[in-house]
Amino acid sequence: DTGVSQDPRHKITKRGQNVTFRCDPISEHNRLYWYRQTLGQGPEFLTYFQNEAQLEKSRLLSDRFSAERPKGSFSTLEIQRTEQGDSAMYLCASSIISKNTEAFFGQGTRLTVV
Amino acid sequence: GDSVTQMEGPVTLSEEAFLTINCTYTATGYPSLFWYVQYPGEGLQLLLKATKADDKGSNKGFEATYRKETTSFHLEKGSVQVSDSAVYFCALRNTGFQKLVFGTGTRLLVSP
């Protein structure tokens, strides 16, 4: 069990470019969550999946954001036409329904839009 | 909507001092309450939780009691160590929902 893995750990991109982040949850965890954390703030919920179904999306997830979990395993979060306000740490977490455990978080992907 | 308010940091203490980090919440229904900790360079880790009123969560010498009458979940530790230096986040999860609602975090700095 290697924990929740996120890739890349850091990403610097120019405004207007598209970026994609990947999250690999803990094996057999069927719930996967995305959060965003800006400097000096707590994490804010973006969306979550149960297996491959996206069950909840925050209003923070604008049309430029899309998340997928096609096979119920890893997930990707894409941001199109990035803006400076997208600069943040993007956190992924996973949990397993059957054991009703709490979510385990990855170390995050830090995005800087220049 | 649901929200969590934490005391602002940083909280600066000497080793072996008593720690309190205040947390209050606003929520409909009966949320579960959590404290997460983020050590430098690491991901968020669950420190403790309580799922109903008057429950006490505890772990690694830290404690917090779910107080419904004051809508609070204050974090305490009797004797802090340098290794406790981190950012502490209070959070809630409301009944029937999966998302966590976090406070803004409180940085704790413990000096030898």
Side-chain angles (χ1 to χ4, degrees), chain A residues 41-57:
Chain A
Q41 301 296 315
E44 296 173 292
F45 172 79
L46 293 178
T47 188
Y48 102 93
F49 293 83
Q50 186 164 303
N51 299 310
E52 65 276 10
Q54 189 172 16
L55 296 187
E56 188 175 351
K57 292 169 61 173

Side-chain angles (χ1 to χ4, degrees), chain B residues 41-71:
Chain B
E42 298 186 16
L44 282 167
Q45 300 175 25
L46 178 65
L47 181 59
L48 54 85
K49 70 177 185 180
T51 58
K52 62 183 186 297
D54 300 325
D55 268 2
K56 178 185 284 188
S58 61
N59 186 25
K60 299 181 181 179
F62 291 89
E63 293 183 339
T65 301
Y66 189 141
R67 301 286 188 198
K68 192 171 188 301
E69 63 277 12
T70 55
T71 61

Side-chain angles (χ1 to χ4, degrees), chain A residues 35-73:
Chain A
Y35 288 81
R36 182 176 71 183
Q37 184 177 16
T38 53
L39 201 60
Q41 301 296 315
E44 296 173 292
F45 172 79
L46 293 178
T47 188
Y48 102 93
F49 293 83
Q50 186 164 303
N51 299 310
E52 65 276 10
Q54 189 172 16
L55 296 187
E56 188 175 351
K57 292 169 61 173
S58 162
R59 285 174 290 180
L60 292 175
L61 215 64
S62 75
D63 291 345
R64 296 185 297 106
F65 288 69
S66 63
E68 295 183 346
R69 195 183 183 198
K71 297 183 180 179
S73 57

Side-chain angles (χ1 to χ4, degrees), chain A residues 20-39:
Chain A
T20 299
F21 310 140
R22 176 179 171 126
C23 171
D24 287 272
I26 294 172
S27 179
E28 298 182 351
H29 276 199
N30 37 27
R31 284 186 174 146
L32 186 148
Y33 314 79
W34 286 99
Y35 288 81
R36 182 176 71 183
Q37 184 177 16
T38 53
L39 201 60

